[in-house]
């Protein structure tokens, strides 16, 4: 698959993921329009991207000056401001099916016939989200990983209705970002979340059963199996609340093996959400 960069792209939601997706496409040369809720939110996204670009420049990782890349970004307060001639629009608002479906349908009414629509959902059914679209054949999951600029992977999640040419374009854009793709069928948790959550839940059950301390369980995976990070530290970074929500969804769709352990529910109820709250399986003071 030859690499390509969208000439124009849109990103709906400029949070942790949306900002990273916008930064990555702009760095590759695309003009990117970011949709955020209001001006204050847009200013925060711009600041977040500017800081990230400065750090990347300091490490010699940018093909152009940070100001030049920032100049490729535009911010609008509504999907109505998306450019009609965008090659690609990626939705990256919070994990709420109703909100995503509504915004994707609104985006579809604005963009041209040739625009590919994608969602960055980490667990929702792409097929169910596509029910709100007039043309599901131009829609797929482009699942990016956090932090997007530094991560090597995009998981392309492809429902049966998605056209082959659309998948080919998404593959070319993934290569254009310098990232590797994995292509998976639309099924609960895709490949990455399903396996990652399975490992994380089993590690939590092992803490619950007193098999070993979190550090020991993580060392078993990092030193024994060469994982870059142990499953409990990773759960802290992703957020215990985020992991619980995905586990509940996988429990509903794939069965008992994804039943969330009581310890996970208890920690979330106590507000021990991981790094974001300062405490999860580890204590975080940054
Ligand atoms: N955080 C991760 O590690 C990760 C990894 C892969 C995928 N995802 C998925 O990416 C999506 C976004 O996650 P995130 O962590 O970036 O969330 P986030 O809460 O950091 O960002 C969401 C952004 O969407 C904006 N938003 C909300 N409603 C909007 C609207 N109506 N119009 C425009 N913008 C709106 C919010 O202001 C916010 O900036 C979710 O579906 C999540 O499951 C997250």
């Amino acid at each position: 698959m030859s690499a390509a960069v969208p000439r124009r792209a849109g990103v709906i939601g400029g949070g942790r993921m949306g900002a990273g997706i916008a930064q990555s496409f702009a760095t590759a040369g695309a003009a990117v329009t970011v949709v955020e809720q209001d001006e204050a939110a847009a200013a925060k996204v711009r600041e977040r991207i500017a800081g990230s670009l400065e750090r990347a420049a300091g490490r010699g990782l940018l093909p152009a000056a940070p100001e030049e890349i920032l100049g490729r970004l535009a911010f609008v307060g509504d999907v109505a401001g998306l450019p009609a001639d965008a090659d690609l629009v990626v939705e990256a608002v919070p994990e709420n099916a109703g909100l995503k479906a509504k915004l994707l349908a609104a985006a579809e009414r604005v963009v041209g016939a040739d625009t590919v629509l994608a969602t960055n959902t980490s667990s929702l059914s792409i097929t169910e989200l596509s029910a709100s679209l007039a043309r599901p054949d131009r829609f797929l999951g482009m699942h990016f990983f956090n932090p997007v600029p530094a991560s090597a992977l995009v998981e392309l999640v492809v429902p049966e209705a998605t056209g082959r040419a659309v998948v080919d374009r998404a593959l070319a854009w993934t290569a254009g970002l310098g990232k590797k793709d994995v292509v998976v069928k639309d099924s609960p948790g895709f490949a990455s979340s399903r396996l990652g959550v399975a490992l994380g839940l089993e590690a939590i059950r092992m803490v619950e059963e007193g098999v070993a301390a979190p550090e020991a369980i993580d060392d078993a995976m990092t030193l024994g199996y060469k994982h870059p990070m142990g499953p409990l530290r990773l759960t802290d970074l992703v957020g215990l609340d985020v992991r619980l929500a995905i586990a509940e969804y996988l429990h509903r769709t794939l069965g008992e093996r994804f039943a969330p352990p009581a310890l996970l529910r208890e920690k979330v109820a106590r507000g021990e959400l991981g790094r974001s709250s300062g405490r999860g399986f580890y204590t975080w003071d940054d």
Side-chain angles (χ1 to χ4, degrees):
M1 181 57 53
S2 57
V5 176
R7 219 166 31 85
R8 279 184 198 289
V11 178
I12 309 174
R16 215 176 340 178
M17 298 304 291
I21 295 166
Q23 178 183 329
S24 299
F25 277 116
T27 301
V32 183
T33 301
V34 179
V35 183
E36 255 299 346
Q37 305 195 76
D38 51 43
E39 273 181 31
K44 262 183 34 199
V45 184
R46 197 174 194 286
E47 212 174 284
R48 184 192 287 241
I49 296 177
S52 174
L53 285 171
E54 283 303 332
R55 288 191 294 280
R59 280 183 267 131
L61 298 175
L62 292 186
E67 308 74 55
E68 188 182 334
I69 296 170
L70 269 179
R72 296 174 190 152
L73 293 166
F75 295 89
V76 296
D78 190 280
V79 287
L82 284 168
D85 61 349
D87 293 311
L88 169 69
V89 171
V90 184
E91 167 282 309
V93 297
E95 196 76 336
N96 171 325
L99 177 66
K100 284 178 185 288
K102 187 182 87 177
L103 291 169
L104 284 162
E108 189 182 37
R109 288 193 288 273
V110 174
V111 297
D114 201 36
T115 305
V116 170
L117 295 173
T119 174
N120 183 50
T121 178
S122 39
S123 65
L124 298 171
S125 160
I126 313 298
T127 307
E128 279 173 36
L129 286 176
S130 76
S132 68
L133 298 176
R135 282 203 28 219
D137 60 292
R138 56 146 123 192
F139 181 57
L140 81 172
M142 287 185 81
H143 183 206
F144 290 85
F145 293 79
N146 187 26
V148 180
S151 90
L153 181 68
V154 183
E155 187 175 35
L156 298 182
V157 187
V158 183
E160 290 195 354
T162 308
R164 184 65 231 180
V166 168
V167 179
D168 285 344
R169 291 175 79 193
L171 285 167
W173 293 325
T174 301
L177 294 176
K179 300 190 190 299
K180 175 155 171 34
D181 61 80
V182 291
V183 179
V184 301
K185 254 187 14 190
D186 183 24
S187 59
F190 320 140
S192 56
S193 300
R194 182 166 167 174
L195 271 180
V197 169
L199 188 66
L201 294 182
E202 201 54 32
I204 296 169
R205 277 190 274 270
M206 287 163 69
V207 175
E208 205 171 54
E209 292 166 16
V211 172
E215 293 82 353
I217 293 168
D218 280 350
D219 282 351
M221 289 295 101
T222 53
L223 304 177
Y225 276 50
K226 293 197 165 45
H227 287 201
M229 188 182 290
L232 295 164
R233 186 172 291 275
L234 184 60
T235 299
D236 269 12
L237 284 186
V238 171
L240 275 67
D241 48 340
V242 175
R243 277 265 152 126
L244 176 59
I246 299 177
E248 282 172 334
Y249 175 73
L250 295 179
H251 184 202
R252 281 198 305 280
T253 49
L254 294 175
E256 277 313 300
R257 63 195 192 277
F258 284 97
L263 179 62
L264 178 59
R265 288 191 189 286
E266 285 158 18
K267 279 184 166 293
V268 171
R270 282 200 297 268
E272 292 178 23
L273 306 182
R275 188 180 180 180
S276 65
S277 74
R279 191 182 172 87
F281 292 96
Y282 295 87
T283 301
W284 300 83
D285 48 22
D286 57 337

